[in-house]
């Protein structure tokens, strides 16, 4: 009612229970109602705020519209024909910003410090310092820069905002010089990387051409006449350069052979046995429900658990042997069938890497045949059966050629009492498939199938030769850590050039002769230390 009493003279009285015409000159409708009703509802003795300025006169059209509705005397018609929040019109004058208003919990303080324009700030700075800002000429700004090394690098050439002190001439020149140096360094780095990429691409194209031409020779000439051509000089040279991936599995199978006379049907028999044992092992852990042929129940359970654990660790970066991967079940089958085929050996950590490499190059049954025959070789059998006396013979033979080829590094290792078993065991157990990149490991396998166990130890000496300068500067701990995890950027060209430089001869004795002499000395020593028979 107080709001209506202050309406302009000449207006008709409003209809009963009508809605208040809200003016949006102020901050919001809640503020308007508070400002209009506050003086009447203050407690006795309170101080009322200053009386707000009366609203501007209402436009004629709105006054007539209100009169018509009031004359009709219909409150519902007034509700549906009028908006509760009236729209702003051009006739409304903006409220004074310095006038105090109302908000939900108190007054809105007047805005005193309005934001200053950047030109005003620049003028105040010039008046205070007495320095005039002279923008650089347009020619000084960078134009058509062909090379932008980084998106933020060129910001050093930009002028400061107008509300900051301008650059001096010396500072601008220094920034230009720093920018030119950064661009020059970035250009050199980019050109160097471009040359490196081109070189890698040229080598890759050349390698692909060599592989394509070699594949034709292997398929059309060598494989049809395997027995007659495998030992020729031409084939051995092609073998050293690496086997084409399309014929690699076939050549490996022929080179490893099948002395155990394993057939695909035999593999299926042992695979079915393995599946039965997995089923019984998963159903119950009772010792009576798990039968074993040649190994204890504890060893069998340990083998089954190790297989599950090691499969997930096999080439984790490929994601094909992990659970749910395309080769997970296949690898599990080959390893499980082998534990049933050779219960005296069982499963040993590291076998999963050998089986995985074979699975990537051969069919399932052929991979199992090659796997079983490969592990039946004297060196692999000695390591996987953990025959300590035989393993020591191999380490001793390795040290003979180590001292012959790398005398400085050999003495360095001796000074720290660093024995070959610290790094060789992991290399031999996995045939370098875990320590080297997969493509490089496959090339090592190529020549290993050609030369036998000798090449495994020759490869170890090649790795030591490749990193000889680095290893000579390390102590025991760092050498062991380095050789346990070799650098990932090792290339086949560098490694095989170092392997080729290793001479596997000692006093005109080759590897086989040195190893045989060590075996003979060991037998004579055993005879001398054997107790005399009792009479």
């Amino acid at each position: 009612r107080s709001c209506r009493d202050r309406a302009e003279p000449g207006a008709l009285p409003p209809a009963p229970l009508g809605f208040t015409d809200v003016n949006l000159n102020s901050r919001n409708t809640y503020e308007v109602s508070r400002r209009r009703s506050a003086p009447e509802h203050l407690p006795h003795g309170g101080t009322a705020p200053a009386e707000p300025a009366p609203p501007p006169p209402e436009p004629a059209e709105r006054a007539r519209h209100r009169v018509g509705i009031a004359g009709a005397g219909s409150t519902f018609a007034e509700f549906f024909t009028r908006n509760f929040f009236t729209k702003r019109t051009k006739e409304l004058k903006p409220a004074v910003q310095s006038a105090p208003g109302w908000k939900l919990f108190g007054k809105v303080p007047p805005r005193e410090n309005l934001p200053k324009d950047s030109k005003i700030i620049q003028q105040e700075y010039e008046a205070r310092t007495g320095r005039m800002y002279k923008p650089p000429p347009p020619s000084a700004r960078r134009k058509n820069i062909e090379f932008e090394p980084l998106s933020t690098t060129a910001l050093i050439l930009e002028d400061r905002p107008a509300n900051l002190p301008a650059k001096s001439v010396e500072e601008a020149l220094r920034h230009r010089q720093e920018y030119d140096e950064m661009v020059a360094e970035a250009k050199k780095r980019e050109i160097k990387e471009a040359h490196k990429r081109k070189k890698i691409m040229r080598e890759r194209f050349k390698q692909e051409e060599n592989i394509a031409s070699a594949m034709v020779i292997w398929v059309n000439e060598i494989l049809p006449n395997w027995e007659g051509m495998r030992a020729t000089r031409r084939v051995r040279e092609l073998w050293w350069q690496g086997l084409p991936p399309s014929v690699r599995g076939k050549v490996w199978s022929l080179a490893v052979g099948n002395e155990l006379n394993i057939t695909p049907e035999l593999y299926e028999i042992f695979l079915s046995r393995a599946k039965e044992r997995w089923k019984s092992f998963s159903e119950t852990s009772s010792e009576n429900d798990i039968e074993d042929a040649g190994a204890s129940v504890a060893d069998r359970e340990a083998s089954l658990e190790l297989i599950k654990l090691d499969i997930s660790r096999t080439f984790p970066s490929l994601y094909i042997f992990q659970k749910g991967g395309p080769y997970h079940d296949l690898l599990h089958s080959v390893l499980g069938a082998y534990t049933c085929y050779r219960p005296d050996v069982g499963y040993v950590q590291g076998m999963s890497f050998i089986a995985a490499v074979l699975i990537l190059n051969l069919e399932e049954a052929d991979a199992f045949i090659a796997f079983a025959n490969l592990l039946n070789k004297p060196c692999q059998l000695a390591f996987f059966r953990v025959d300590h006396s035989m393993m020591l013979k191999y380490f001793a033979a390795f040290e003979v050629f180590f001292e012959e080829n790398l005398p400085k590094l050999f003495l360095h290792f001796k000074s720290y009492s660093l024995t070959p078993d610290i790094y060789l065991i992991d290399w031999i157990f996995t045939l370098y498939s875990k320590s080297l990149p997969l493509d490089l490991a496959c090339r090592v396998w190529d020549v290993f199938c050609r030369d036998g166990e000798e090449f495994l130890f020759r490869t170890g000496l090649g790795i030591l030769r490749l990193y000889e300068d680095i290893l000579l500067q390390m102590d025991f701990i760092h050498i062991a850590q380095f050789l346990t995890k070799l650098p990932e950027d090792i290339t086949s060209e560098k490694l095989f050039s170092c392997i080729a430089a290793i001479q596997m001869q000692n006093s005109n004795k080759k590897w086989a002769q040195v190893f045989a002499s060590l075996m003979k000395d060991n037998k004579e020593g055993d005879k001398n230390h054997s107790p005399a028979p009792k009479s």
Side-chain angles (χ1 to χ4, degrees):
R1 179 175 297 177
S2 61
C3 293
R4 289 294 184 183
D5 291 341
R6 287 195 296 271
E8 66 276 17
L12 294 177
L17 300 177
F19 288 95
T20 304
D21 187 13
V22 180
N23 193 319
L24 293 186
N25 246 348
S26 299
R27 299 179 186 273
N28 50 43
T29 55
Y30 184 82
E31 179 184 334
V32 172
S33 61
R34 288 289 302 268
R35 290 174 61 182
R36 291 182 176 178
S37 61
E40 296 181 4
H41 293 83
L42 285 174
H44 183 69
T47 304
E51 182 72 15
E58 201 173 41
E61 292 182 6
R62 287 179 57 188
R64 286 195 300 271
H65 181 65
R66 233 171 61 191
V67 169
I69 294 174
S74 174
T75 58
F76 289 102
E78 182 181 0
F79 175 79
F80 286 110
T81 55
R82 294 179 59 199
N83 290 328
F84 185 72
F85 300 104
T86 58
K87 297 181 181 179
R88 286 184 188 272
T89 57
K90 293 182 179 180
E91 291 81 8
L92 298 177
K93 295 182 181 180
V96 180
Q97 301 225 0
S98 60
W102 284 85
K103 60 180 179 178
L104 189 58
F105 299 106
K107 294 182 180 181
V108 178
R111 297 184 63 182
E112 298 178 356
N113 297 325
L114 298 177
K116 297 182 180 180
D117 186 67
S118 59
K119 293 182 179 180
I120 298 176
I121 295 175
Q122 179 68 22
Q123 291 173 0
E124 291 178 355
Y125 170 76
E126 292 175 356
R128 186 171 64 254
T129 59
R131 295 172 56 185
M132 297 295 292
Y133 170 69
K134 295 181 180 180
S139 59
R141 295 180 179 269
R142 50 197 180 96
K143 291 182 180 180
N144 301 326
I145 296 178
E146 298 178 356
F147 186 83
E148 291 286 350
L150 287 175
S151 59
T152 57
T153 304
L155 290 178
I156 196 172
L157 295 179
E158 297 293 338
D159 300 328
R160 294 196 182 98
N163 58 345
L164 295 177
K167 292 182 183 179
S168 63
V169 178
E170 295 79 6
E171 187 179 10
L173 292 176
R174 188 177 72 253
H175 286 178
R176 163 59 68 177
Q177 184 178 1
E178 291 175 359
Y179 176 77
D180 292 340
E181 291 174 358
M182 287 188 286
V183 170
E185 289 295 327
K187 282 184 178 180
K188 289 179 182 178
R189 187 166 56 251
E190 184 68 22
I191 292 171
K192 186 178 180 180
E193 292 177 357
H195 286 317
K196 186 177 180 180
R197 287 194 297 267
K198 288 181 180 178
K199 185 180 179 181
I200 293 174
M201 292 299 296
R202 284 197 302 267
E203 292 176 354
R204 186 175 298 173
F205 289 147
K206 185 179 179 180
Q207 186 179 7
E208 290 177 356
E209 291 175 358
N210 294 336
I211 289 174
S213 60
M215 183 188 65
V216 175
I217 297 173
W218 279 98
V219 171
N220 298 331
E221 300 180 24
I222 300 174
L223 291 178
N225 306 298
W226 173 253
E227 293 299 332
M229 295 189 65
R230 62 177 299 179
T232 60
R233 183 176 180 179
R234 180 190 178 196
V235 172
R236 290 181 66 84
E237 289 178 355
L238 280 174
W239 215 328
W240 177 267
Q241 295 172 7
L243 298 173
S246 57
V247 301
R248 175 168 279 154
K250 180 66 174 177
V251 175
W252 285 359
S253 296
L254 292 172
V256 172
N258 189 11
E259 295 179 354
L260 300 174
N261 296 320
I262 303 174
T263 60
E265 293 76 18
L266 188 62
Y267 166 67
E268 293 296 334
I269 293 172
F270 286 111
L271 179 58
S272 62
R273 290 183 186 178
K275 289 180 178 179
E276 290 175 1
R277 284 180 176 143
W278 290 331
K279 186 177 180 182
S280 63
F281 179 74
S282 60
E283 289 175 354
T284 177
S285 60
S286 176
E287 296 183 0
N288 297 326
D289 295 336
I290 303 177
E291 298 179 358
D292 193 85
S296 65
V297 176
D299 291 340
R300 177 62 58 196
E301 292 179 357
S303 292
L304 293 172
E305 287 300 317
L306 276 177
I307 289 174
K308 289 182 181 179
L309 185 62
D310 267 14
I311 287 178
S312 62
R313 299 172 177 173
T314 305
F315 297 120
S317 59
L318 298 181
Y319 301 105
I320 58 177
F321 295 106
Q322 280 64 43
K323 192 171 183 62
Y327 290 120
H328 175 270
D329 295 339
L330 190 58
L331 181 58
H332 199 263
S333 300
V334 171
L335 295 174
Y338 182 78
T339 57
C340 294
Y341 174 70
R342 292 297 299 266
D344 58 323
V345 179
Y347 177 78
V348 182
Q349 284 183 314
M351 287 183 177
S352 61
F353 282 89
I354 299 176
V357 174
L358 291 171
I359 287 171
L360 291 174
N361 292 276
L362 291 165
E363 296 296 329
E364 182 177 353
D366 295 331
F368 175 79
I369 295 171
F371 180 71
N373 281 276
L374 191 60
L375 297 191
N376 198 52
K377 301 294 181 182
C379 181
Q380 278 64 49
L381 201 59
F383 275 82
F384 283 112
R385 295 181 73 171
V386 197
D387 188 341
H388 291 284
S389 61
M390 286 293 294
M391 291 171 68
L392 291 175
K393 306 289 189 306
Y394 281 107
F395 294 149
F398 175 80
E399 286 194 309
V400 169
F401 294 96
F402 187 4
E403 185 179 10
E404 182 74 20
N405 288 273
L406 305 168
K408 281 187 179 181
L409 191 61
F410 177 78
L411 294 175
H412 185 66
F413 278 25
K414 281 292 183 182
S415 65
Y416 287 109
S417 300
L418 199 148
T419 53
D421 57 288
I422 293 175
Y423 50 92
L424 269 184
I425 286 180
D426 190 46
W427 294 353
I428 302 299
F429 265 107
T430 61
L431 300 181
Y432 296 96
S433 56
K434 180 183 177 183
S435 306
L436 298 176
L438 183 57
D439 55 344
L440 181 53
C442 287
R443 189 172 171 187
V444 171
W445 278 45
D446 293 342
V447 188
F448 162 64
C449 292
R450 186 194 77 172
D451 296 346
E453 63 187 33
E454 173 187 336
F455 189 73
L456 294 178
F457 298 95
R458 190 180 180 186
T459 301
L461 292 174
I463 293 173
L464 296 178
R465 182 185 180 89
L466 178 61
Y467 297 109
E468 181 179 11
D469 296 336
I470 299 174
L471 295 172
L472 285 172
Q473 300 174 3
M474 294 182 178
D475 56 7
F476 180 93
I477 298 297
H478 291 91
I479 291 173
Q481 292 175 347
F482 183 87
L483 296 179
T484 303
K485 185 174 177 58
L486 295 172
E488 297 180 356
D489 58 349
I490 182 172
T491 61
S492 59
E493 290 77 13
K494 292 181 179 179
L495 177 59
F496 271 77
S497 63
C498 292
I499 294 174
I502 299 296
Q503 299 297 322
M504 298 300 286
Q505 285 189 354
N506 177 259
S507 301
N508 296 326
K509 288 183 180 181
K510 295 183 179 180
W511 169 268
Q513 295 172 331
V514 171
F515 186 76
S517 63
L518 290 171
M519 291 290 292
K520 184 179 179 181
D521 295 341
N522 185 67
K523 289 180 180 179
E524 291 178 355
D526 292 341
K527 288 181 181 179
N528 295 332
H529 290 86
S530 60
K534 295 181 180 179
S535 56

